[in-house]
């Protein structure tokens, strides 16, 4: 089971460098361009998960993976909130919605979440 958990951990680490967000004209952003502190937290959680996988502590690995899923969910919520509040100066709600929808979530999040879920599901009970 450790090998499967390591594959999930590699997916999380590689996923932090994949395109997670697309902003027109600016381009694709990975986790490091979205927010340095959130990316650092992701890597710290990944390092703790690696430590727990190597030392055969499945409960700690599962907890780190759950914290990663919560971190990814928080990041997605923060992206949506920030993009909608960034255009709060516009007078009409339809304009705000239109302009905030140009920020698009990309396919890298699938890799991030899938890697964390692999760690959770591969943990022995």
């Amino acid at each position: 089971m450790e090998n499967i958990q390591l594959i999930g951990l590699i997916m999380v680490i590689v996923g932090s460098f994949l395109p997670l967000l697309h902003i027109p004209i600016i381009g694709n952003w990975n986790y490091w361009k979205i927010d340095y502190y959130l990316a650092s937290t992701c890597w710290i959680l990944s390092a703790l998960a690696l430590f727990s996988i190597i030392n055969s502590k499945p409960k700690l690995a599962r907890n780190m993976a759950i914290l990663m899923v919560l971190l990814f969910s928080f990041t997605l919520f923060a992206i949506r909130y920030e993009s909608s509040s960034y255009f709060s100066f516009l007078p009409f709600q339809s304009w705000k919605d239109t302009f905030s929808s140009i920020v698009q979530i990309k396919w890298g999040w699938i890799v991030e979440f899938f890697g964390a879920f692999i760690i959770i599901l591969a943990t022995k009970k």
Side-chain angles (χ1 to χ4, degrees):
M1 288 305 216
E2 289 182 3
N3 293 336
I4 296 172
Q5 288 178 328
L6 287 174
I7 290 171
L9 185 63
I10 290 169
M11 288 177 69
V12 169
I13 292 170
V14 169
S16 67
F17 294 107
L18 295 176
L20 301 175
L21 192 66
H22 178 75
I23 301 171
I25 299 173
I26 296 173
N28 293 325
W29 282 9
N30 59 19
Y31 222 146
W32 294 97
K33 287 184 181 178
I34 291 173
D35 188 58
Y36 175 76
Y37 297 109
L38 290 174
S40 298
T41 304
C42 174
W43 274 61
I44 289 169
L45 291 174
S46 297
L48 289 172
L50 178 65
F51 173 76
S52 64
I53 292 168
I54 291 173
N55 291 323
S56 299
K57 302 207 181 278
K59 189 173 183 181
L60 183 60
R62 174 179 244 174
N63 289 340
M64 291 302 113
I66 291 170
L67 287 175
M68 282 188 242
V69 169
L70 291 174
L71 177 71
F72 301 152
S73 301
F74 170 75
T75 305
L76 285 172
F77 172 75
I79 289 168
R80 285 294 174 199
Y81 177 76
E82 193 64 33
S83 67
S84 65
S85 67
Y86 186 75
F87 296 104
S88 62
F89 64 90
L90 295 173
F92 302 111
Q93 184 65 35
S94 62
W95 290 5
K96 293 177 195 175
D97 294 339
T98 302
F99 280 104
S100 66
S101 68
I102 61 174
V103 176
Q104 298 172 353
I105 304 299
K106 298 299 278 185
W107 59 273
W109 288 109
I110 296 170
V111 177
E112 291 276 10
F113 277 104
F114 192 63
F117 284 129
I118 285 176
I119 298 171
I120 292 170
L121 296 175
T123 305
K124 295 178 187 175
K125 298 209 176 195

